[in-house]
Every structure is written in structure tokens, then in C-alpha cells.
Amino acid sequence: MRVTGWSRSILVLAMLLVATSMFAQATRTWVSGVGDDVNPCSRTAPCKTFAGAISKTATGGIIDALDPGGYGTLTITKAITVEGNGTLASSLNSAVNGFVINIAAGPTNRHVVLRNILVDGAGTTLGVDGVRFLSGDSLILENVDIKTQSSDGIEFAPNSLARLVVNNCRISNVTGNGILVKPTGVSGVARVSIHNSTIAKNGTGIRVEDNTNVSIVRSSIVNNTADGVFVAPVTGSGGLAIIEDSEISHNSGIGLRTSGTAVLRVANSLISGNGTATSNGGGELCSFGNNRISGNTSNGVLPLPACNPANN
């Protein structure tokens, strides 16, 4: 068949349109245990892994899991939501980090959400960090289970102002810290909210270092082999944690511990069954009132002084 110049132009245009559609990024993509990463990650042709799906997902988009499965580890370099709503979606991260968030400065949208996911480092060699945050604007974890890591459950180490929200999560069997808040550099500032979560059977439950403002509400920090909550500025600048309506119990070390210029304030909480209830190695450890401190091997520094009214 003879192809005219006009027909040839139409053919080339059609081919370009097909190629463009093949490589376009979708707002919502899907993974499945029976998927394949060569697929477009649509609902009817899902990908196999989170890593395979992210390159086909637009900035600010969503990766969803269609069915139970282990979908691999993921380094996140753009705004994204990864969720396993209604399934047992997991990241199995033996010997490596589970999720790493490292979004370069510049984009106006640098927000990441992880929801309804299990991050499990079990294996011959344990996982390193369950979730590691290095750069971005915010990270929200909702209904996330993190377990069996050799370093930290969550390492929140932003290099600039950033926010972390941990809601209805469970972190357990981590050798290091359940949650480590550790901004890096002079510009690193962390704002952290932990709600309705259980931090259990780790080394230290929650460790808070420099340039931080952390709130812990309606949470359980229990059965850790070292301390429950340790506010420990390294360079002597700005470690603050406020605890309310929470349980800090059965930790082998110290329930509530400060050092250096740390500030730790507590209200309406149970501190029981710890090796030592409280220890103030500097800074401020005080009570807003209505705490119950009993049944510890040693109660440490009691009674806790009332917090400065100016801080109420």
C-alpha cells in the first residue's frame, strides 16, 4: 500500500500519542501479589512492587495494594501516599531499610503518607530502619506496624523544618529506638506528634535529641529493655517532649529520663513498673499534675516539681 505524506504524518502522530499514553504517570496506581512491574500499574494490570509503581505514579498520587502481599522496600523522592487499605500489605526489609524518604529541596509539595502497612525486618539478617526520613516537609504514618529492626523503628532525621505524625501505630522488637527524633544540621528542626500508638519491646521506646518539639498523647511506651522516653540533646540545643494521657510502664531502665538542657513535661499519665520511674540529668523534668507514679523498683526524683505556670 502506498503511504502518502499526509498518511505518514497521521501515522507518526498516532504512534506519538500511543507512546505518550504508555509513559504517562497516573494519579492512582496499584500493586498486587500476582502483578508485574512491566505493567502500567492500573487496577486491571497492577505492578508487583512499590518500587515498580512509584515511577508510574504522579507526584502527590497514591499507590494502593489490591491484595495481601510483600511489596518490597521503597525509596521515596517525591510526594506520595502508599497504602494497603483493606489488605495485609507489607514491606519485608531484611538487611536493608524499609522506607526511606529523601525528597530534595525545591518542590512545593514534599508530603508523604504511609497508611495500613506492615514493615517487617525479620530474616537471617534483620532490617535496619523500618522508616527513615531524611528530607521533605512532612511524614504521616497511620495504622502502620513496624517490627524486627536492628537499628530504629522510625528514624526521623530531617535536614530542615519538618513534621512527623504517628497515629494508631505499633512499633515493636526493635534493637535500637522505637522512634528516634534526630534532626541534622543547624536548620534541622522537628515537630512530632505521636497519638494512640504502642511502642513496646524495643531498646529505648522514644529518644528525642536536638531542635525538637515532641508531643505524645494517649500512647503506651512499655516493656522496652532500656528507657521509656529519653530526651537527650546532643549539642545542648532544644530537646522538648510533652506527654499526656499515656502509659510509661515496665521499661527495664528509666521510665522518663532527661539529660543536658532537655525539657520533659508530663500530665495525667501512669508511670509504673519501671526500673526507675524518673531521672533528671539536667534541664527540666516537671509535672502538669494528676500523674500516677507507683510500683517502680525506684521512683527516682520525686515528687516531680510543678511545671512553670508560664508553660501552662
Side-chain angles (χ1 to χ4, degrees):
M1 181 179 70
R2 180 171 176 269
V3 179
T4 65
W6 175 254
S7 299
R8 186 179 295 109
S9 298
I10 294 295
L11 181 61
V12 170
L13 179 60
M15 292 174 66
L16 287 173
L17 289 173
V18 170
T20 300
S21 64
M22 288 176 63
F23 293 100
Q25 292 182 321
T27 302
R28 195 181 199 112
T29 57
W30 304 84
V31 293
S32 168
V34 295
D36 192 316
D37 284 347
V38 302
N39 289 339
C41 304
S42 64
R43 203 178 197 294
T44 54
C47 284
K48 178 78 171 179
T49 66
F50 291 140
I54 194 168
S55 63
K56 300 169 186 177
T57 309
T59 297
I62 301 172
I63 301 173
D64 259 317
L66 280 170
D67 47 44
Y71 296 111
T73 62
L74 182 62
T75 296
I76 296 173
T77 58
K78 62 183 177 183
I80 204 82
T81 294
V82 183
E83 61 184 18
N85 292 348
T87 74
L88 186 61
S90 60
S91 170
L92 308 180
N93 68 307
S94 174
V96 295
N97 294 309
F99 289 87
V100 177
I101 295 89
N102 191 9
I103 304 176
T108 55
N109 180 1
R110 300 197 303 161
H111 306 288
V112 173
V113 178
L114 303 179
R115 182 183 294 125
N116 296 316
I117 297 170
L118 166 66
V119 186
D120 192 344
T124 304
T125 303
L126 297 183
V128 184
D129 290 334
V131 177
R132 189 172 189 228
F133 183 100
L134 300 174
S135 181
D137 291 331
S138 70
L139 170 63
I140 297 175
L141 287 87
E142 296 179 341
N143 197 30
V144 173
D145 285 69
I146 301 172
K147 58 186 289 190
T148 329
Q149 310 292 333
S150 63
S151 187
D152 303 309
I154 301 172
E155 180 187 349
F156 191 64
N159 60 9
S160 60
L161 174 64
R163 302 177 187 275
L164 169 67
V165 176
V166 178
N167 184 42
N168 196 33
C169 294
R170 292 149 296 279
I171 304 172
S172 63
N173 295 303
V174 172
T175 304
N177 306 282
I179 299 177
L180 172 62
V181 184
K182 183 183 180 179
T184 61
V186 176
S187 62
V189 179
R191 300 288 182 262
V192 178
S193 298
I194 302 167
H195 297 160
N196 306 309
S197 295
T198 299
I199 320 296
K201 298 176 66 176
N202 308 293
T204 292
I206 300 172
R207 182 182 174 103
V208 177
E209 295 191 1
D210 305 310
N211 299 316
T212 58
N213 189 323
V214 177
S215 62
I216 304 165
V217 181
R218 293 185 299 279
S219 294
S220 297
I221 302 98
V222 298
N223 290 299
N224 296 289
T225 59
D227 301 323
V229 179
F230 186 13
V231 187
V234 174
T235 63
S237 59
L240 166 65
I242 298 177
I243 303 171
E244 185 170 358
D245 295 326
S246 294
E247 178 187 5
I248 303 94
S249 296
H250 307 297
N251 300 289
S252 299
I254 300 167
L256 300 179
R257 182 181 178 189
T258 65
S259 69
T261 58
V263 177
L264 199 164
R265 300 168 182 150
V266 58
N268 197 37
S269 293
L270 172 65
I271 306 164
S272 176
N274 302 286
T276 300
T278 62
S279 175
N280 186 6
E284 177 185 343
L285 172 59
C286 67
S287 170
F288 286 122
N290 201 30
N291 295 297
R292 284 136 338 260
I293 303 176
S294 66
N296 301 282
T297 303
S298 168
N299 281 334
V301 288
L302 287 181
L304 292 179
C307 295
N308 187 326
N311 296 323
N312 288 342

